[in-house]
């Protein structure tokens, strides 16, 4: 490896810093690179990845650290490295371009561009020699370079056509037709069709299984609304399978990126903050629906993992942990048989985690439980208290031993949307459990974000690392911050969060709105993008438009007067009508939001004065545990209710009466207030 640093040495991104000593003359995305490409009339190689990306590491070792490959790149191209997690707006454009070329996406994403940033052609991982049915990277470089010299006109024309296609695809009109309620049932039927009855989860991929946490949340709500036990069974069993599979870290807690098989056994070992956040949210829904403490136990394990390994000293949460350590994928998590039985001699624990001499992965052991032939939802899974105690003692020993190993790299940049997803998870866990430490954790992360990444005028920055806040926030950053701001107001009477959320909501309408209905992915002042994209796809995290829809439902239910939120929600649903009709499994969060809007809402307002904090907390906890998915509730001290009454219709004319008044409403038509919880609960449950 070259010891001479390139320009990336001045960057903050851990991914870019990984490449800072490559012999490739890398540029970060920016004006300098584009000016050089135009001045020297060279094609741009845009290479996009992220710090915990396994195949990014492989391609770096094979090609970007190779002097002969670097010589070709430096001679014939202007090379740009981009962290997709810092700039998902750029990644989205060129991933869409790759898909338009008929090529499957993934990372690293290597795209060749004209000096005007228009996509010519691209791919993902390129091997150093011809293999896997792929051309070698050097051959690709030669072919592209030759075509630029000899067929430039054709390349430029094709790149312009592709760019125009991307622009046209993002500016389609809204036909105004809102989906019908039948798409909800149809979505449930599709889950039934792809449900894996043997190993649980869903067979939507030929080889891998990704954590379907947003799907689980949809199914739980569907089961409650429709009294459909099959929906709850699919969600219940899938959560069990994920927890007991190799995809879950049995020793330290936390879920990995995906399983490379349908049995959930062999994971891709990287851990992402968003995966763990969404899983906690799904587990909270499952606990509310079933009362099974098993789900609370997993939540506590994941929260403990995030506190221990991912929380940074200044309050933010790190983005991810790598799959590799010491150059080997999964080495940190695997156990040799002799090593394990020395630490844990109890045969029943060895059997519980399927530890054998031959192992289940490269002659070592991925700890897991095997559930083939069982149905936890039907049969129930119980462990004796004395066995649980033995298991916990074994975990302590194994965790202590593992902590002596060389850890995988931790990507310690703080991303606004991902940190908000974690706040969102904590608030969901707090709502269903009443555990105040979850609320305290959420408020700490929120305080960090508002201190470093949220401006006074409501503008949001995306990334913080090493003292630097940078990059315009994307739609997801705004959507998730808005959601947790108003949820903090709902769950904790946090007026400061309400006001911050209101400012960012105004900023969103001013800088992200489109005439078609949905919101753009990027801020209107982003001048370095060739296309402003619109997205509704709920991939590894909810799309910004999906989260906005959940937010609009909450605010509409509270009677937010500033905007016609119902009309705006319907315009988003109408825009995505084709996707929700034809490909709803890829839009689980959006269809969950659609489901909320299709049923009569039930609003419960509790106004109090001069009441003991524990009494108020008790009412709030009982409301949070109610199973009705159509219920939106709010508990407010009387003076706060009066302050916000001009903005929230639900609060107009409401008082605490003699101490505490309960208002039970349906679509803003309210019963006479009750002065005790028992009478109010009877009304709520009618």
């Amino acid at each position: 490896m070259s010891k001479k640093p390139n320009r990336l040495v001045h960057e903050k991104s851990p991914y870019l810093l990984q490449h800072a000593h490559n012999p490739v003359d890398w540029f970060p995305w920016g004006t300098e690179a584009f000016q050089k490409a135009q001045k020297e009339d060279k094609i741009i190689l845009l290479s996009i990845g992220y710090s915990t990306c396994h195949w990014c590491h492989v391609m770096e070792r094979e090609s970007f650290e190779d002097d002969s490959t670097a010589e070709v790149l430096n001679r014939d191209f202007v090379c740009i490295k981009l962290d997709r997690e810092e700039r998902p707006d750029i990644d989205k454009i060129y991933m869409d371009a790759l898909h338009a070329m008929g090529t499957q996406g993934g990372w690293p994403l290597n795209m060749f561009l004209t000096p005007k940033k228009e996509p010519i052609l691209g791919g993902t991982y390129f091997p150093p020699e011809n293999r896997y049915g792929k051309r070698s990277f050097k051959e690709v470089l030669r072919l592209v370079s030759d075509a630029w010299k000899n067929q430039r006109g054709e390349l430029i024309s094709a790149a312009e056509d592709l760019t125009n296609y991307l622009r046209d695809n993002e500016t389609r009109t809204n036909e105004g037709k809102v989906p019908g309620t039948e798409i909800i049932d149809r979505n449930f039927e599709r889950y039934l069709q792809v449900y894996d009855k043997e190993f649980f989860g869903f067979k939507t991929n030929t080889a891998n299984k990704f954590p379907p946490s947003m799907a689980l949340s949809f199914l739980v709500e569907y089961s409650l609304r429709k009294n459909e036990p099959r929906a709850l069974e699919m969600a219940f069993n899938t959560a069990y399978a994920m927890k007991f599979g190799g995809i879950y870290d049995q020793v330290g807690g936390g879920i990995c990126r995906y399983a490379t098989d349908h049995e959930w056994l062999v994971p891709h070992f990287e851990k992402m903050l968003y995966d763990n956040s969404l899983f906690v949210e799904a587990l909270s829904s499952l606990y509310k629906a079933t009362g099974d403490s098993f789900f609370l136990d997993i939540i506590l394990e994941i929260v403990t993992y995030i506190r221990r390994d991912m929380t940074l000293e200044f309050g933010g949460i790190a983005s991810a942990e790598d799959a590799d350590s010491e150059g080997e994928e999964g080495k940190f998590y695997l156990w040799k048989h002799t090593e394990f039985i020395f630490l844990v001699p109890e045969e029943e624990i060895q059997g519980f985690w399927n530890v054998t001499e031959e192992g289940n992965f490269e002659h070592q052991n991925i700890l897991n439980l095997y559930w083939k032939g069982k149905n936890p939802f039907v049969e129930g899974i119980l462990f004796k208290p004395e066995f649980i105690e033995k298991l916990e003692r074994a975990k302590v020993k194994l965790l202590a031993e593992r902590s002596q190993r060389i850890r995988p790299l931790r990507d310690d940049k703080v991303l606004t949307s991902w940190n908000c997803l974690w706040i969102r998870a904590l608030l969901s866990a707090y709502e269903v459990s009443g555990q105040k430490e979850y609320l305290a954790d959420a408020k700490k992360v929120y305080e960090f974000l508002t201190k470093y990444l949220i401006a006074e005028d409501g503008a949001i920055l995306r990334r913080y690392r090493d003292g630097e806040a940078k990059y315009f926030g994307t739609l997801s950053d705004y959507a998730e911050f808005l959601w947790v701001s108003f949820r903090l107001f709902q769950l904790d009477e946090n007026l400061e969060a309400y006001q911050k959320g209101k400012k960012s909501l105004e900023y969103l309408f001013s800088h992200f709105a489109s005439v078609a209905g949905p919101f753009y992915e990027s801020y209107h002042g982003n001048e370095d993008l060739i296309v402003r994209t619109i997205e509704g796809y709920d991939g590894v995290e909810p799309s910004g438009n999906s989260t906005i829809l959940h937010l609009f439902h909450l605010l509409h239910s509270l009677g937010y007067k500033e905007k016609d939120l119902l009309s705006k929600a319907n315009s988003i649903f109408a825009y995505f009508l084709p996707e929700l009709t034809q490909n709803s499994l890829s839009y689980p969060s959006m269809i969950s939001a659609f489901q909320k809007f299709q049923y009569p809402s039930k609003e419960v307002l509790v106004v109090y004065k001069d009441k003991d904090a524990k009494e108020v907390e008790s009412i709030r906890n009982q409301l949070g545990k109610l199973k009705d998915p159509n219920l939106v509730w709010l508990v407010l001290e009387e003076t706060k209710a009066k302050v916000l009454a001009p903005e929230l219709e639900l609060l107009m004319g409401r008082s605490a009466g003699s101490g505490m008044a309960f208002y039970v409403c349906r679509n803003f038509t309210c019963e006479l207030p009750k002065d005790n919880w028992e009478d109010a609960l009877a009304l709520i449950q009618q």
Side-chain angles (χ1 to χ4, degrees), residues 2 13 34-35 79 83 90 116 157 163 178 241 298 300 354 367 384 456-457 463 469 480-481 487 547 551 616 684 686:
S2 168
S13 159
F34 306 134
Q35 288 178 342
C79 301
D83 185 336
I90 298 171
K116 293 182 179 180
S157 177
T163 302
V178 178
I298 311 174
L300 179 57
N354 286 300
L367 304 188
K384 294 180 179 179
E456 286 294 321
D457 64 352
R463 185 270 286 151
E480 298 303 339
F481 178 73
R487 283 281 282 160
T547 299
L551 171 72
V616 175
I684 294 169
Q686 282 183 3

Side-chain angles (χ1 to χ4, degrees), residues 31-77:
T31 303
E32 184 183 4
F34 306 134
Q35 288 178 342
K36 179 179 173 66
Q38 290 178 1
K39 181 180 178 181
E40 299 182 7
D41 196 24
K42 288 182 177 179
I43 285 182
I44 295 168
L45 168 67
L46 173 61
S47 185
I48 304 174
Y50 54 101
S51 69
T52 59
C53 164
H54 173 71
W55 287 102
C56 299
H57 300 331
V58 172
M59 192 163 177
E60 181 189 16
R61 289 194 299 267
E62 293 175 343
S63 295
F64 298 139
E65 291 180 356
D66 177 64
D67 289 329
S68 61
T69 305
E71 183 180 357
V72 176
L73 286 167
N74 296 340
R75 182 189 67 220
D76 296 336
F77 300 88

Side-chain angles (χ1 to χ4, degrees), residues 477-645:
D477 295 310
Y478 281 84
E480 298 303 339
F481 178 73
L482 287 167
W483 178 242
V484 299
S485 294
F486 287 108
R487 283 281 282 160
L488 270 170
F489 162 67
Q490 180 193 13
L491 299 181
D492 193 44
E493 298 186 55
N494 193 321
L495 285 188
E496 184 180 1
Y498 176 91
Q499 296 300 341
K500 288 182 183 298
K502 186 180 173 185
K503 283 186 177 181
S504 289
L505 183 59
E506 292 167 354
Y507 201 94
L508 176 83
F509 278 115
S510 297
H511 299 290
F512 286 79
S514 76
V515 294
F519 293 88
Y520 285 112
E521 287 296 292
S522 55
Y523 166 70
H524 79 88
N526 261 17
E527 297 178 352
D528 59 353
L529 306 177
I530 60 170
V531 179
R532 284 187 80 193
T533 58
I534 289 175
E535 183 60 87
Y537 170 63
D538 300 313
V540 297
E541 57 184 305
S543 72
N545 276 300
S546 294
T547 299
I548 287 294
L549 287 164
H550 287 278
L551 171 72
F552 282 1
H553 180 267
L554 172 63
L555 292 180
H556 174 71
S557 299
L558 297 177
Y560 190 78
K561 293 183 176 181
E562 295 281 320
K563 306 282 184 183
D564 183 359
L565 298 182
L566 180 58
S567 174
K568 291 185 180 301
N570 282 335
S571 71
I572 299 174
F573 289 129
Y575 183 90
F576 289 107
L577 174 62
E579 289 82 1
L580 293 174
T581 303
Q582 300 162 17
N583 191 26
S584 59
L585 294 187
S586 295
Y587 294 75
S589 182
M590 185 171 289
I591 209 160
S592 289
F594 181 72
Q595 186 173 225
K596 286 181 178 178
F597 277 99
Q598 302 315 303
Y599 291 87
S601 64
K602 187 182 295 181
E603 305 91 19
V604 175
L605 172 66
V606 183
V607 183
Y608 70 91
K609 65 180 180 182
D610 304 324
K611 286 291 181 180
D612 179 73
K614 288 187 177 180
E615 183 180 353
V616 175
E617 184 181 338
S618 173
I619 295 297
R620 188 177 281 119
N621 288 343
Q622 291 177 78
L623 283 165
K625 292 176 182 177
L626 293 177
K627 294 182 181 182
D628 189 344
N630 300 323
L631 178 67
V632 174
W633 59 267
L634 186 63
V635 179
L636 272 183
E637 197 275 328
E638 188 177 63
T639 57
K640 293 179 180 178
K642 289 180 178 179
V643 168
L644 293 179

Side-chain angles (χ1 to χ4, degrees), residues 116 149 166 178 263 361 391 454 511-512 527 579 658-659:
K116 293 182 179 180
K149 292 173 186 174
L166 294 173
V178 178
E263 298 181 32
F361 182 73
L391 197 63
I454 315 299
H511 299 290
F512 286 79
E527 297 178 352
E579 289 82 1
S658 59

Side-chain angles (χ1 to χ4, degrees), residues 619 660-662 673-681:
I619 295 297
M660 183 175 283
F662 299 83
K674 302 295 181 182
D675 60 6
N676 67 83
W677 170 244
E678 289 75 21
D679 289 346
L681 180 61

Side-chain angles (χ1 to χ4, degrees), residues 319-352:
S319 296
E321 289 191 294
D322 206 331
D324 298 9
S325 55
E326 300 181 74
E328 295 181 27
E329 184 176 7
K331 185 173 183 179
F332 183 73
Y333 298 99
L334 300 172
W335 296 93
K336 295 176 182 176
H337 181 251
T338 52
E339 178 185 31
F340 188 93
I341 64 174
F342 175 77
L343 293 166
V344 184
E346 297 94 338
E347 291 186 4
E348 60 180 331
I349 302 292
Q350 297 167 23
F352 178 79

